[in-house]
Amino acid sequence: MSVNKKIIETEATLPQTAGFNVVTWTGNGGTQSITGVGFQPDFVWIKVRSVAGYSHVVFDSTRGATKRIYPDTSAAENSNGKLSSFDTDGFTFNGGGSSNVNGLDMVAWCWKANGGTTSSNTDGSITSTVQANTAAGFSIVKYTGTGAQGTIGHGLSAAPAFIISKRLDSSNNWSVYHKDLGLSHSTYPNWMYLNSNSTRQISGSSANHPYYQAPSSTLLYQNTGTSELTNVSGGEYISYCFAGIDSFSKFGTYAGNGTSQSINIGFQPDLLILRKYDDNQDWMIWDSVRDGNPKTLRLEANNGDAEVSGTTNINFISTGFEFTSGFYNDSGKNSIYMAFKIN
């Protein structure tokens, strides 16, 4: 099935082997091939748009096409995802489930890693299974926790600025590392939960932190298994790691000013995720395929709500994104952002 997509742009400054795209389609509840991605995706994040009550669903080629996890819940991995394959120009379903619901509007955000080809990485003290696209600053890292502080190779040539991780074999929260969330106990990065609208986590105990220091250009620094977020002994984990790439991806922070404000990221984004971290707020998602300017169609990563429709104060502009009022830009409130360009 051909789908709505953003035309892939050619720009000398873009990494030509990078891969990110957004596609939309109408689910049919059965066998259906979604094409028009422009590459074989390795990480596909899907959401029902038109009806509430359906979780976000994530698939990746390291774990295998049939296995799914849910960004808005703490549920463990299961194999009932209805995705049957990652294809040269998209992906194929063999049923409905929550990822291809009959008659409902769907969206998928797609990233390319290494075509499903993984390798054993022994850069750290804990061996990991990695597939990486260094040009796009994206890698998928799978490993088994040890319960003790250790290091894990992530396969990128730059330090990840944004990491989302999930324990696969148990019901545990998703942990989020972002380079601008600050440190506690001298070196321990603060963190957030992807499946929650709670504020930034700043624990009084260093043992509760997922990482014991910020990642390097080769390693993740896993803390003890006390928090169960990233390293409990025998736990199976997946981490999606992102490093910033000029004119393609950017991860940063801004302070709200309550009025108009432009955030310069060096390019016009096609996907923007915003999260106020010093207040309770949902993880807001906008993209350029579902609508134009001003951004009127919002999804929220931490819940199964339908797409929220209504005029907002956000525009995508040639240098980044702008606010025309205080909403999502509240005075005295700080937010992190994650931005990607289709290419």
Side-chain angles (χ1 to χ4, degrees), residues 120-139:
S120 179
N121 186 302
T122 57
D123 290 344
S125 61
I126 301 171
T127 299
S128 56
T129 299
V130 174
Q131 60 165 314
N133 181 350
T134 56
F138 173 59
S139 69

Side-chain angles (χ1 to χ4, degrees), residues 94-141:
N94 61 6
S98 57
S99 51
N100 185 36
V101 185
N102 187 38
L104 298 187
D105 295 332
M106 314 292 302
V107 63
W109 305 287
C110 307
W111 287 262
K112 176 183 176 182
N114 193 36
T117 300
T118 64
S119 60
S120 179
N121 186 302
T122 57
D123 290 344
S125 61
I126 301 171
T127 299
S128 56
T129 299
V130 174
Q131 60 165 314
N133 181 350
T134 56
F138 173 59
S139 69
I140 302 172
V141 180

